[in-house]
Amino acid sequence: LDPWHMSRLAVQGRAKVQDALKALRTIPGCERAKLRTFSNNLGVRDSRKCLGHYQLTGEDVLAGARFNDTVCVLPQIVDGYGVLVLGSEGGEVEVPLRAFQCDVDNLMVAGRCVSGDHISHCLTRNIKCCMLTGQSCGVIAATCIREGRSVWTVAHADVATAMDAAGFTFRATAPPSAAAKP
C-alpha cells in the first residue's frame, strides 16, 4: 500500500475520532470525556459475515426492531458509515435466533460475523455486543448439547430462559406497543 495514502487515511480517521468525542461530550455525564490515545495502525472493521436465516438490517438497528425469536438484546450503539448512535437514550436492539444460524448445521456466529448488512455490523462489532452475542451462542450450544438437538431445532424460548437465568437483560416477547417481526 502507498504510505502517503495510508497517512491520509490515518489523519482522516483521527479527525473522525475527534468528531465522535465531541458528540460524546454532548451526553449528560460525559461532558469531560477524554481520549487517552489513538491506535498506531489502521485496521479492518468490516469483514466477512455469515449469511444467516435472517439478516439484521440497519433499519432494524436504528428502529430498535423486536422479533418473535429474540435471543439477545444489545445496547443501541452504532458508529460508522455516517451513523452515530451512542445508546445514551437507553435504546436496545433485539437479535433473533435466525441471525446466529448459518446454512451449515450446528454452526453459529457471534460478534461482527452475525448475519446482517453494513449498518447492523456497526452495532455487532463493538465489544459489548460481541460479548453478548457470544454469550448467546454459548447458551445455544449448551442447550443443544444438553437436549441432543441441532442449532436448527433449538427453541428460542429455552435460550431466552437460560439467558435470563444468567442475569442478562432479555425480553421474551415484544411489548404490546411494538410490532414484532416474525
Side-chain angles (χ1 to χ4, degrees):
L1 297 171
D2 175 18
W4 292 106
H5 182 67
M6 296 296 288
S7 292
R8 280 190 302 277
L9 290 174
V11 169
Q12 288 173 1
R14 289 180 176 166
K16 288 183 179 185
V17 169
Q18 290 294 345
D19 290 343
L21 184 59
K22 286 178 190 173
L24 180 64
R25 289 178 178 149
T26 66
I27 297 171
C30 298
E31 298 88 353
R32 296 184 343 196
K34 294 181 182 177
L35 179 65
R36 187 170 184 177
T37 186
F38 286 104
S39 172
N40 292 327
N41 302 317
L42 294 178
V44 176
R45 289 186 111 188
D46 208 341
S47 62
R48 296 180 178 166
K49 297 176 273 301
C50 168
L51 182 58
H53 292 214
Y54 183 82
Q55 289 191 4
L56 200 62
T57 66
E59 184 179 305
D60 293 335
V61 169
L62 297 176
R66 310 287 175 149
F67 299 92
N68 291 326
D69 61 338
T70 296
V71 294
C72 188
V73 179
L74 306 177
Q76 194 178 33
I77 302 170
V78 183
D79 66 339
Y81 299 104
V83 179
L84 181 62
V85 179
L86 297 176
S88 61
E89 302 300 318
E92 296 177 333
V93 179
E94 294 186 2
V95 182
L97 175 62
R98 296 165 285 152
F100 294 101
Q101 298 169 324
C102 297
D103 285 337
V104 177
D105 193 29
N106 289 329
L107 175 66
M108 294 173 295
V109 292
R112 70 185 205 173
C113 296
V114 168
S115 182
D117 67 12
H118 64 288
I119 296 293
S120 70
H121 183 255
C122 294
L123 168 83
T124 60
R125 71 179 177 217
N126 76 61
I127 298 299
K128 187 170 186 177
C129 294
C130 286
M131 292 187 323
L132 291 167
T133 57
Q135 178 71 27
S136 296
C137 282
V139 168
I140 293 166
T143 302
C144 290
I145 290 169
R146 184 176 55 254
E147 297 177 5
R149 304 170 79 175
S150 125
V151 299
W152 296 80
T153 61
V154 68
H156 83 279
D158 295 340
V159 178
T161 300
M163 290 290 284
D164 192 43
F168 290 89
T169 302
F170 188 77
R171 246 181 235 100
T173 59
S177 61
K181 290 186 174 187

